[in-house]
Amino acid sequence: MPADSRYLPIEDHGIIGDLNTVALVGLDGAIDFFCAPRFDSPSVFASLLDAERGGAFRIDPQLGDDARRKQLYLPETNVLLTRTLSADGVAEISDFMPMGETEGVRRLVRRVKAVRSSVKFRLRCSPRFGYGAVHHRAEQDGEDGVAFVPDDAEAAGLAFLRLRGSVPLRIENGDAVAEFELAHEKSATFILEASSRPGAGPHASQRYAADAFKRTVNFWRTWIGRSTYKGRWRDEVNRSALVMRLLVSQEHGSLIAAPTFGLPESMGGARNWDYRYTWVRDAAFTLYSLIRLGLTDETGRFIHWIADRVAEEGDGVPLQPLYGLDGRHLLPESELTHLEGYRGSRPVRVGNGAAVQLQMDIFGALMDSVYLYDKYGEPMSYDLWNTLTGVVDWVCENWRRPDHGLWEIRRGEQAYLSSRVMCWVAVDRAIRLAQHRSLPAPMVRWLEVRNTIYRSVFDEFWNPRKRAFVQTPGSDVMDASCLLMPLLRFISPNDPRWVQTMNAVRRELVEDSLVRRYAIRGGETDGFTDEEGTFTICSFWYAECLSRGGDLQQARFVFEKILSYANHVGLFAEELGPSGEHLGNFPQAFTHLSLISAAYDIDRRLDSAGWGA
């Protein structure tokens, strides 16, 4: 598919946020994705998904077409700097969402500076409410502001948006626009405020911007300063942790899988999903990675959040695969037919139909994170244990049930290797918890079920002709989720059957250092015929499997090659395309948590083996 110059590549973005929502900022200085006031609210800016109808907030330094663009984070923060450099001058935009602001109000601060020489700028703030489907009116708001009021506040998910600036703003066709010039080392400030109701907010003063900047920088540096990781890839690990922290809801304690919707897994393809919800699996694995770094505060809140979801389910399946941030169960999937999609990739979907699927692997992910939190965070409470024993008892009764699997395949339910292994994990971690804390449990039954599940994996999922564990019983399809088997201590990384499985993964799924999750086979595997990229989480799993198997130098080589595919500020989307382009929703928590896990394991084993830095 030919490139469309109206759209920046997905990877040409940084991300800012305030633990309630995020914004994507392009290398061109445009905010082209922003949902407010929450992660899962309708979009205010979404020109990343429709260049004409989506809306954006652009600040363009007028330094010529040959100007170079650079973007970086202020170290150990989520404050983003975007620079435009030319022989005629240098301009810088500092973007951040202030921490510690008024409850219920989302603010985004943009500080613009002429770093060298005087620089002219053009500004256009073009909100398009309700995924670009809700009209609005624009009004002057005092001497320094423009107010945007959507015609339908309910459909917009927002009643009021205000832009204030330290330079004059005017209204043009419903947008706020300005042209201004800054002398050498002079700056201008703009504050975008989203609220459920009109009201007084801060003026775009240098004092407010400076105070908010210091408060925000201190927040992020204090948080990441608690990390216990001091290893070889500290910058990459810290960036991944900071990204994952951005995806935790301050209000609810839940975690989203990614902050975007509709970004394609293949250019022009149909795998365009909404990831702005809390997947039990993704959240549990994310917390596992944060626990490894000594960052346990977020884990406790999520454990109690998920316990509340179990209590709501009654006598049916104890958990559904994903929920809204606030725990809501219904996430109806629909298509936004008025949006053209990123570079023509349709349909653009919101909501997610996977919420009604059965995914048996989520119970293992949950129990593994609970087990680790008990070990490294707080000891298990009696009430939480009673809730979790009900989950484990349900798994013991239902572990043979076919499901949609870790990859949420929409071709109907089957028995998947990853689900079977994770059911074993659920029972195994419950047994370990009960033994470690002397908690009451039906140990004889749990031990019997655990052993039966273990044998079933070897009896049903081992393909003797292929000499590998395969995706479903009787098939010959290799699935990269098998790489979780040694990572979750189901099988020894040196077990002959695992060594043979790794050889099969290497033959069929690995391209250099990158790993496909499975072969598409013209829609036979998952119901979609369009190709997809390599899954970066699987690539990091592969590196960690090499490490656990003792091939440390190869593990390090593969790991560092994968790192080279990160974007300019260390972020990863879900997948990588044929030319290394980022595909899928961005940034992806699942990818960054696997980076942390691989870095931690490889680093520890290199130290134990006496290898230097």
Side-chain angles (χ1 to χ4, degrees), residues 60 95 217 472:
D60 297 317
D95 286 305
V217 167
T472 57

Side-chain angles (χ1 to χ4, degrees), residues 253-418:
S254 49
L255 297 84
I256 60 169
T260 57
F261 63 91
L263 292 176
E265 295 180 16
S266 60
M267 209 65 71
R271 294 186 182 90
N272 313 318
W273 313 113
D274 188 348
Y275 279 6
R276 299 171 301 155
Y277 307 111
T278 299
W279 268 257
V280 174
R281 171 197 315 110
D282 298 43
F285 282 148
T286 298
L287 295 173
Y288 169 55
S289 294
L290 293 178
I291 287 171
R292 279 189 157 181
L293 305 181
L295 302 168
T296 58
D297 290 353
E298 293 75 20
T299 310
R301 289 194 70 199
F302 176 73
I303 295 297
H304 291 291
W305 183 90
I306 205 69
D308 290 342
R309 306 290 79 77
V310 175
E312 294 166 355
E313 294 292 351
D315 297 328
V317 179
L319 284 172
Q320 63 185 50
L322 63 144
Y323 297 86
L325 291 169
D326 55 3
R328 71 186 186 280
H329 295 221
L330 298 177
L331 304 171
E333 185 173 295
S334 61
E335 297 180 2
L336 303 179
T337 56
H338 62 284
L339 297 181
E340 73 171 6
Y342 175 77
R343 298 188 176 183
S345 300
R346 290 181 172 178
V348 176
R349 296 183 180 89
V350 292
N352 201 301
V356 298
Q357 291 183 351
L358 176 65
Q359 296 177 18
M360 296 296 293
D361 68 289
I362 64 176
F363 305 106
L366 171 63
M367 291 306 300
D368 195 43
S369 64
V370 170
Y371 169 75
L372 291 167
Y373 182 64
D374 175 85
K375 186 175 182 179
Y376 297 108
E378 294 182 356
M380 178 68 58
S381 70
Y382 175 75
D383 290 332
L384 180 57
W385 177 245
N386 282 340
T387 298
L388 294 173
T389 54
V391 173
V392 178
D393 286 339
W394 186 90
V395 172
C396 288
E397 291 289 338
N398 293 275
W399 60 268
R400 282 194 175 276
R401 287 180 62 172
D403 70 335
H404 292 273
L406 183 150
W407 305 121
E408 303 181 342
I409 291 173
R410 298 192 174 199
R411 287 186 63 247
E413 297 178 341
Q414 299 186 69
Y416 287 102
L417 171 66
S418 57

Side-chain angles (χ1 to χ4, degrees), residues 475-553:
S475 78
D476 63 354
V477 175
M478 291 301 300
D479 185 331
S481 62
C482 70
L483 294 166
L484 286 169
M485 295 172 73
L487 306 189
L488 293 166
R489 301 182 185 278
F490 177 86
I491 192 171
S492 165
N494 297 307
D495 185 292
R497 293 205 193 193
W498 177 250
V499 173
Q500 293 167 350
T501 299
M502 275 287 280
N503 290 336
V505 168
R506 189 178 294 110
R507 284 194 311 269
E508 298 191 21
L509 299 178
V510 177
E511 299 176 0
D512 190 26
S513 59
L514 305 178
V515 182
R516 295 187 177 274
R517 58 177 176 171
Y518 47 67
I520 298 300
R521 296 188 173 183
E524 174 189 340
T525 306
D526 64 2
F528 292 93
T529 57
D530 48 296
E531 287 295 323
E532 62 181 13
T534 56
F535 265 64
T536 312
I537 185 171
C538 301
S539 303
F540 285 122
W541 286 345
Y542 177 64
E544 186 171 350
C545 284
L546 290 170
S547 172
R548 293 191 180 219
D551 194 352
L552 294 182
Q553 289 307 304

